[in-house]
Amino acid sequence: MALITIGKKKEQKPAPRQARFEGLSPSNEISPYREQSFFPTQLKRHIYEKLMERLDISENALESKNIQLLRTRAEREIQAVLEEENIPPEKWSTLSRQVLEEVFEMGPLGNLLVDERITEIMVNGHESVYVEVEGRLHKTDLSFISEGTLLAIIQRIVSAVNRRVDESSPYVDARLPDGSRVNVILPPLSLSGPCLTIRKFSRKKLSPEDLLEKGTLTLDALEYLQRVVRSRANIVVGGGTGTGKTTFLNMLSSFIPDGERIITIEDSAELRIAKPHVVSLESRPPNIEGKGEVTIRDLVRNSLRMRPDRIIVGECRGGETLDMLQAMNTGHNGSMTTAHANSPRDLLNRLETMALFAGVDLPIRAIREQIAAAVDVIVFLFRDSDGKRRVSHITELTGIQDLTILHQDIFRYSYERGVLERTGVRSKYER
């Protein structure tokens, strides 16, 4: 089968400099930074404090007043402060913009969010910002004026998507309008100050050709997976955090025939299924009174009444695993999901453990029989020492014997040769 389209006081005048990432040469700097000249944090903090004394720019004020009018007034006040502090006029524009961006926008996060090379942003308190670029972490020179401004930006982010985070509910998961995934955790749970993690949503949907070019897998393995998806095998994509499970699931979905009805179910909608008949469902957390929660498990059970040809669950984490297995065993072949694990064998153990979270009094034998009957193929991903995401195993389940789920590797990554290779075991999908 052919593969689908492969083919103060005075400023001490620090030398202005671009933000750089440790370990990267100047030619590899992240851009754009929109004239990201840096000034001492204490200078910006002093200007910010003076501004707060002169104007009411609390979050309540920002919600109730004309933002543009308030921003214009703030800009005038900042210029007055700069003049009082004898800051050279040529510095006014950049200093004013940096303070205004932190008060009214996303502050130092703004440039990071638009930079397509950055895949993840990690804020560990107001003085420490890291980014992930091409699978590697780099510390930036960026910081926030104060913990207060960081908290205000966090509130701006979560309130825009109708979520809340405060002392009574000090952590939250949310999704930005562009699909990026956000996690926030506050003191006292975080001893490092407010922590914000943003996993950016790629505007470009990776195609099979892209994964081939990146070395994630080989053409032979890709053609095998196309055959498996077309044969309506049930697939679980496993791997550790940040190994690209959701991205890989998106790629696998490209092999689904156009005429099928697909139901996707996620905590935070990240899947982008480029097919004509897709219904996307998203779970909902409880409201401030602790009511109104809709779980992944609720949605999986509801999806069975929606006449799906395939069900795709973004990630199985708990009791919904049992419902997913039952769906796979009751005529919804070709379904897919992801799960965290350290190896294909560990993934089977994880599925068993998560099925027990459903609270149904089933013997271990029954659960293992469900897994052996429901899951056809496991694709396991890992992140190499160079930061690249690769497929380490493609494994078929072959049955159960003496309470042991039997499986065989069709492809396995060779660490010696640095390539995904066939094991020589013949696949049931190629006979």
Side-chain angles (χ1 to χ4, degrees), residues 233-253:
N234 294 319
I235 302 173
V236 179
V237 179
T241 301
T243 52
K245 298 183 293 297
T246 302
T247 299
F248 202 87
L249 199 60
N250 265 322
M251 186 278 294
L252 288 178
S253 71

Side-chain angles (χ1 to χ4, degrees), residues 200-385:
K200 290 174 59 182
F201 187 76
S202 175
R203 291 178 175 83
K204 181 187 177 188
K205 181 172 181 278
L206 291 182
S207 65
E209 297 94 329
D210 293 325
L211 295 185
L212 280 177
E213 186 178 338
K214 290 174 179 290
T216 302
L217 74 173
T218 61
L219 178 60
D220 187 20
L222 198 55
E223 290 176 331
Y224 165 84
L225 288 173
Q226 182 187 25
R227 226 168 358 249
V228 164
V229 173
R230 292 280 179 92
S231 299
R232 300 186 64 81
N234 294 319
I235 302 173
V236 179
V237 179
T241 301
T243 52
K245 298 183 293 297
T246 302
T247 299
F248 202 87
L249 199 60
N250 265 322
M251 186 278 294
L252 288 178
S253 71
S254 68
F255 296 140
I256 298 174
D258 287 349
E260 298 188 14
R261 176 174 167 87
I262 304 165
I263 310 292
T264 69
I265 301 169
E266 299 175 84
D267 263 335
S268 297
E270 294 179 276
L271 291 170
R272 289 193 297 172
I273 310 297
K275 294 295 172 180
H277 197 168
V278 179
V279 178
S280 300
L281 307 179
E282 188 176 49
S283 64
R284 185 176 68 190
N287 60 21
I288 194 168
E289 289 87 20
K291 299 178 181 178
E293 180 181 22
V294 180
T295 66
I296 292 287
R297 190 173 186 195
D298 295 329
L299 295 177
V300 171
R301 284 184 287 191
N302 185 78
S303 70
L304 300 177
R305 304 182 184 95
M306 297 175 67
R307 199 270 180 205
D309 286 310
R310 300 183 194 237
I311 299 170
I312 300 180
V313 176
E315 182 181 348
C316 280
R317 298 178 185 168
E320 67 274 2
T321 304
L322 181 60
D323 298 289
M324 186 69 181
L325 293 173
Q326 290 176 335
M328 291 174 167
N329 272 325
T330 54
H332 300 93
N333 295 329
S335 296
M336 306 177 195
T337 188
T338 74
H340 282 80
N342 295 321
S343 68
R345 168 54 66 183
D346 182 48
L347 179 56
L348 295 175
N349 295 334
R350 283 267 298 147
L351 291 174
E352 180 182 319
T353 302
M354 290 188 294
L356 291 171
F357 290 164
V360 179
D361 189 16
L362 287 175
I364 293 298
R365 172 180 287 278
I367 292 175
R368 290 183 183 175
E369 287 174 348
Q370 283 263 19
I371 294 171
V375 179
D376 296 307
V377 175
I378 292 173
V379 181
F380 198 82
L381 302 165
F382 76 109
R383 188 151 52 177
D384 209 345
S385 57

Side-chain angles (χ1 to χ4, degrees), residues 35 75 79 82 88-98:
E35 328 157 27
E75 190 169 3
Q79 289 184 0
L82 293 173
E90 62 270 17
K91 308 282 188 182
W92 289 9
S93 175
T94 304
L95 250 175
S96 176
R97 176 178 53 75
Q98 289 184 7

